[in-house]
Amino acid sequence: MVAVRSRLFPSSVHVGVCTLLLAGVAVGVPADGSPAAGPGLPAGFREEIVFSGLTQPTAVRFAADGRVFVAEKSGIVKIFDNLSDSTPTVFADLRTQVHNFWDRGLLGLALDPAFPSNPWVYVLYTHDAPIGGTAPWWGSVGATFDGCPTPPGPTADGCVVSGRLSRLQASGNTMVGSEQVLIEDWCQQYPSHSIGGLAFGSDGALYVSGGEGASFHFVDYGQDGSPLNPCGDPPVGVGGTQTPPTAEGGALRSQDVRTTADPAGLSGAILRVDPATGAGLPGNPFHASTDANMRRIVAYGLRNPFRITVRPGTNEVWAGDVGWSDWEEINRLTNPADGAADNFGWPCYEGDGRQVSYDAANLSLCENLYAAGSAAVVAPYFRYHHNDLVHPVDVCPRGGSSVAGVSFAFQNGGNYPPEYRGAMFFADYTRGCIWSVQAGSNGLPDLAKIRTFVSGAAQPVDVQIGPGGDLFYVDLGGTIRRIRYSGTNQPPTAVISANPTNGPAPLTVTFDGTGSFDPDGDPITYAWDLDGDGAFDDATSATTSHTYQTAGTHTPRLQVTDTSGATGIASVTISAGNTPPQPVIDTPSGTTTWRVGDTISFSGHATDDQDGTLPPSALSWSLIMQHCPSTCHEHPVQTFTGTATGSFVAPDHEYPSHLELRLTATDAGGLSDTVSTTLQPQTVQLGFATEPSGLTLAVGSSGQATPFSRTVIAGSTVSISANSPQALAGQTYQFVAWSDGGAQTHTIVADQPSTYTATFALDTTGPAISNVTSKPGPGWVTITWTTSEPADRQIQYGQTEAYGSFTPLDRTLATQHSVTISGLARKTTYFFQILSRDATGNLGTSSGSFRTK
């Protein structure tokens, strides 16, 4: 999914999921159920780690009987019997079916509203095969991590897969019977913008979201692939060449509802379906259609709606849509069963208005949408720019974003203070924050009441309201966390440091609990359980020591208590008789640089004081793309397990970025250590110019006036567009040619420093303006004119003189017009200019003068 916008998995700029594989044990990590150190929270709140030791969890759901379901990205669903259970049961293992690669994986999870009476568990995942194909296509049977070979290459031609919505039947804590596939669709070419989330409405409908599967790096209208256009998007089909203005592939899949000549796909859409069959429900906008997919769709025009939720007491669907490089959106689908489909505009619109690069590509699907006016699309309920704070006093970082969770508090507020009743919570994976938005008098989120709720959150990819009305969030790094409210007295936080944490037995360890604290400033007392017998009766000072005589793993704990009797507990793992292995990356070296498409070989080894040289099966490699628009955040690329050697092909990505290769070694006693090396890309400087200078060009995800330059990774694919027509200094210009001979919109490969110049010519083909007359008065004038356009064309008028302006007549159907301008100086001569833009964007002009009386 995504970002996600590459992001995230959640991809904001892609905003996808950026994955961090945790290795080793951190000293002083709180025990389950104890406060977690680090995040900033409002007064009276604290964060607890409820479950840990998970592998890339992506979603959590709470059953009415107290059980907790957790989805892992690889395709495993686990069940905890309750919030105190530390040992989960594997409910289902779908790893063979799931393509776990980059932002792809098992991302959506839901329980039947009447569970366990109706024992159905719903999963939404990236299927490791094209639509209609058989898994595994790119991975292997039972693999936890999958890949994408080169060719085709994940960011080159793309490994084409699909999406699946299935339901699984539960009997106790295990799945019985076979997976029931309800929908298989969502053609996905590139590794981001995969499928999204699941939510049930109060009407019993199941809501499903999915991304458009397009490139996060360039303007994608279906022009790439091997074969070309591998998803078979219209109008050319598989193997056909997609070109503007007729192209309908890539990101334009999210507008497929508007191309009725071909069967509809589900990409970039929200569905409302029968949870038993996957069929579209009555009340859906296209329920009368003969196309089964059309009958399912209630909203479209979305890039990567990674997370959706339903506001309690309503059927409103709220979607967090991960943006490209500028905007994140939270969109509201007011009434999915009202018979009208909502178009949220992507890729033609994003955030505050038109998406610059897709606008510049002059694609008919977008141009027709622009001509229909802003009323044809639904604006975001809330959006924030990647370079801006989410609210004026926000403490969360800027520079890159990926909205990664949306949820609403109970109407009664649960255990939280009254101001949180009905509040909306949303998370951003890249910024590592969760915000609250208090409800207004109409019950909807009041955007004037956005507040930072959790700063420094641990890789949030899902937020849910759980038992007691508390907010829970999923940390992709391996934990499920709970935000609790403690009222007037907050419990203290226990923090342990231990030295050493491993070594030969007997092992003497010094413990220090002086980092513990009470949020209210109350004095705290200390009690230690050093021998593991469950009793905190081994020491009462802030610091202490203990000798572990026998080899093995020990888990000493510290309990701190404030003057009101509230407690906090932390633990640390000690390995006596064992030391962690020493992994070594032999190749590549840290001086290695790369271009997109380079094959980079890696090799390494590890030794252990107790086990000697470790076998390849003890080694695991993770390739991470570090994206650094300001502060760096991580995007997963690939994981290689059980091998000492291998290779990968350097992927494409927006600059500034670099690769990090991590090697983790794990010994027979379960201790592990990780080393990493950073691989910097080679870069290329590209220059962009126009004739005449000062016109605007779109490069990648953004546009600006020429001349300008961009730094990109060598070998990177970059989309460039020359928007046409354009106005400059009162004149209209039409695109003529690029200096490299490419089409008006095309992609280039940045092999070497180059300058690309777009030549424009003065446009004189706009609508004619005639019969211009003026009737001056004392301080006013009435100007009258006619145009050559027929009555069914859409014309815009404006004037450019410095004495003032009149409101443009937008989308008027008349051919004769007049306007009165008042507030002018008396007995003064003025010049004016009228601009007329026809429905295809061409401008006509006429000028004149008058003298007021």
Side-chain angles (χ1 to χ4, degrees):
M1 354 79 133
V2 213
V4 119
R5 308 178 182 202
S6 158
R7 292 269 137 27
L8 191 10
F9 168 52
S11 359
S12 203
V13 243
H14 188 303
V15 244
V17 168
C18 310
T19 304
L20 173 61
L21 300 180
L22 297 184
V25 179
V27 175
V29 172
D32 290 355
S34 67
L41 292 159
F45 288 89
R46 61 174 177 151
E47 179 179 287
E48 296 176 353
I49 295 176
V50 180
F51 305 125
S52 60
L54 298 163
T55 302
Q56 298 182 7
T58 54
V60 63
R61 294 296 185 270
F62 301 93
D65 60 8
R67 285 181 289 174
V68 183
F69 287 70
V70 176
E72 293 185 337
K73 191 166 173 280
S74 64
I76 293 176
V77 180
K78 295 180 176 178
I79 294 180
F80 293 86
D81 290 334
N82 49 59
L83 292 175
S84 299
D85 184 9
S86 60
T87 306
T89 301
V90 173
F91 168 73
D93 185 348
L94 304 174
R95 286 179 295 176
T96 297
Q97 288 80 16
V98 172
H99 193 229
N100 180 21
F101 179 73
W102 281 43
D103 294 356
R104 297 171 172 177
L106 170 54
L107 307 183
L109 179 69
L111 303 178
D112 189 285
F115 187 91
S117 298
N118 291 340
W120 296 109
V121 179
Y122 293 82
V123 290
L124 182 64
Y125 64 84
T126 311
H127 182 221
D128 188 11
I131 297 172
T134 301
W137 194 275
W138 304 107
S140 57
V141 174
T144 299
F145 302 100
D146 302 308
C148 170
T150 300
T155 57
D157 291 323
C159 287
V160 176
V161 293
S162 56
R164 265 190 177 179
L165 169 68
S166 297
R167 70 173 185 169
L168 317 175
Q169 187 173 2
S171 177
N173 281 356
T174 59
M175 170 187 165
V176 294
S178 58
E179 171 189 4
Q180 298 184 25
V181 178
L182 302 180
I183 302 174
E184 184 176 320
D185 197 85
W186 297 281
C187 184
Q188 303 165 44
Q189 182 176 357
Y190 291 104
S192 191
H193 318 167
S194 188
I195 40 69
L198 298 173
F200 273 94
S202 60
D203 58 357
L206 177 62
Y207 292 92
V208 188
S209 67
E212 28 82 312
S215 173
F216 56 77
H217 189 56
F218 57 84
V219 172
D220 181 5
Y221 44 83
Q223 68 269 40
D224 276 358
S226 180
L228 291 175
N229 191 36
C231 286
D233 297 308
V236 296
V238 175
T241 301
Q242 295 272 25
T243 57
T246 59
E248 297 178 8
L252 295 166
R253 295 185 201 108
S254 61
Q255 294 290 324
D256 200 27
V257 164
R258 297 172 51 226
T259 62
T260 56
D262 61 278
L266 302 179
S267 300
I270 294 175
L271 320 181
R272 178 177 177 266
V273 300
D274 185 328
T277 65
L281 289 169
N284 288 3
F286 308 107
H287 191 256
S289 173
T290 59
D291 185 326
N293 274 351
M294 286 287 285
R295 293 196 296 270
R296 295 173 169 129
I297 295 171
V298 293
Y300 60 100
L302 295 156
R303 181 177 183 265
N304 184 12
F306 178 64
R307 289 292 175 247
I308 59 173
T309 192
V310 175
R311 187 162 71 93
T314 76
N315 283 320
E316 295 175 2
V317 178
W318 294 69
D321 194 18
V322 182
W324 200 359
S325 61
D326 287 327
W327 294 99
E328 300 300 300
E329 297 180 357
I330 294 178
N331 294 299
R332 176 194 180 207
L333 182 55
T334 306
N335 185 359
D338 64 359
D342 286 351
N343 183 358
F344 292 101
W346 174 262
C348 311
Y349 290 89
E350 183 185 24
D352 265 354
R354 298 186 185 187
Q355 209 295 318
V356 173
S357 296
Y358 280 94
D359 182 11
N362 284 357
L363 296 153
S364 294
L365 271 176
C366 287
E367 296 303 317
N368 294 338
L369 193 59
Y370 300 147
S374 58
V377 297
V378 179
Y381 188 88
F382 176 62
R383 81 286 175 275
Y384 58 98
H385 196 278
H386 292 188
N387 295 333
D388 294 339
L389 298 174
V390 170
H391 62 91
V393 294
D394 197 5
V395 297
C396 298
R398 292 174 284 187
S401 297
S402 47
V403 61
V406 184
S407 192
F408 284 87
F410 295 156
Q411 295 295 332
N412 63 9
N415 295 327
Y416 286 7
E419 59 264 33
Y420 290 97
R421 292 174 182 169
M424 179 177 75
F425 297 93
F426 67 95
D428 189 304
Y429 171 87
T430 302
R431 299 194 185 197
C433 280
I434 302 172
W435 295 267
S436 66
V437 190
Q438 294 177 21
S441 58
N442 60 357
L444 294 172
D446 184 345
L447 298 180
K449 297 179 179 178
I450 300 177
R451 300 292 183 268
T452 306
F453 189 63
V454 184
S455 62
Q459 304 183 73
V461 293
D462 187 27
V463 293
Q464 294 291 321
I465 304 301
D470 290 350
L471 181 76
F472 290 73
Y473 77 88
V474 178
D475 156 30
L476 190 67
T479 66
I480 308 297
R481 303 187 178 218
R482 179 181 193 172
I483 308 300
R484 304 191 75 162
Y485 182 70
S486 304
T488 55
N489 180 58
Q490 299 181 65
T493 297
V495 178
I496 301 176
S497 65
N499 185 39
T501 58
N502 57 77
L507 179 67
T508 299
V509 181
T510 299
F511 297 96
D512 188 340
T514 57
S516 306
F517 64 94
D518 185 83
D520 305 310
D522 297 336
I524 56 177
T525 57
Y526 302 84
W528 296 86
D529 174 14
L530 301 174
D531 56 14
D533 65 356
F536 292 96
D537 57 1
D538 298 323
T540 58
S541 58
T543 60
T544 188
S545 65
H546 186 79
T547 299
Y548 295 92
Q549 299 290 344
T550 59
T553 299
H554 307 271
T555 309
R557 297 185 299 160
L558 166 64
Q559 177 177 276
V560 293
T561 305
D562 67 13
T563 53
S564 298
T567 61
I569 298 174
S571 65
V572 63
T573 300
I574 304 297
S575 295
N578 192 18
T579 56
Q582 299 86 47
V584 177
I585 296 176
D586 297 315
T587 60
S589 71
T591 60
T592 300
T593 61
W594 52 274
R595 301 167 58 92
V596 174
D598 283 353
T599 298
I600 301 174
S601 298
F602 60 83
S603 62
H605 67 277
T607 58
D608 185 82
D609 291 342
Q610 290 75 41
D611 302 329
T613 300
L614 297 185
S617 59
L619 305 181
S620 177
W621 302 79
S622 296
L623 182 64
I624 306 296
M625 178 68 76
Q626 293 280 4
H627 182 209
C628 306
S630 54
T631 56
C632 293
H633 58 273
E634 300 181 352
H635 299 275
V637 177
Q638 195 164 358
T639 298
F640 310 85
T641 58
T643 182
T645 63
S647 65
F648 59 87
V649 176
D652 206 341
H653 203 277
E654 181 184 50
Y655 185 79
S657 298
H658 63 268
L659 292 172
E660 182 183 355
L661 182 64
R662 298 172 182 162
L663 170 60
T664 299
T666 305
D667 67 16
L671 286 185
S672 63
D673 197 10
T674 298
V675 293
S676 68
T677 186
T678 296
L679 307 174
Q680 295 291 343
Q682 301 169 35
T683 60
V684 168
Q685 192 81 0
L686 302 179
F688 296 93
T690 57
E691 290 291 342
S693 184
L695 293 170
T696 296
L697 299 177
V699 178
S701 62
S702 61
Q704 66 188 94
T706 59
F708 63 90
S709 63
R710 296 280 176 86
T711 301
V712 300
I713 297 174
S716 184
T717 298
V718 182
S719 57
I720 60 175
S721 297
N723 200 0
S724 182
Q726 291 189 48
L728 179 67
Q731 302 290 332
T732 302
Y733 294 88
Q734 291 278 359
F735 169 76
V736 176
W738 279 100
S739 56
D740 67 343
Q744 179 181 338
T745 294
H746 66 287
T747 56
I748 58 175
V749 177
D751 287 324
Q752 59 186 1
S754 304
T755 296
Y756 296 86
T757 301
T759 301
F760 288 75
L762 188 64
D763 178 21
T764 58
T765 61
I769 299 173
S770 58
N771 302 320
V772 180
T773 62
S774 60
K775 181 182 178 182
W780 58 268
V781 66
T782 297
I783 305 172
T784 303
W785 69 94
T786 58
T787 76
S788 62
E789 291 298 306
D792 61 348
R793 300 300 291 273
Q794 297 176 349
I795 317 297
Q796 292 180 319
Y797 300 93
Q799 60 82 36
T800 61
E801 291 302 311
Y803 58 74
S805 63
F806 57 84
T807 301
L809 304 175
D810 188 15
R811 295 186 300 278
T812 179
L813 300 182
T815 57
Q816 181 170 342
H817 305 276
S818 66
V819 64
T820 299
I821 305 171
S822 59
L824 305 177
R826 301 183 66 178
K827 298 182 180 180
T828 302
T829 299
Y830 290 96
F831 296 89
F832 65 89
Q833 184 178 54
I834 299 171
L835 308 179
S836 176
R837 184 188 297 273
D838 66 18
T840 62
N842 293 325
L843 294 177
T845 66
S846 183
S847 59
S849 63
F850 59 86
R851 183 175 178 82
T852 55
K853 296 181 179 179

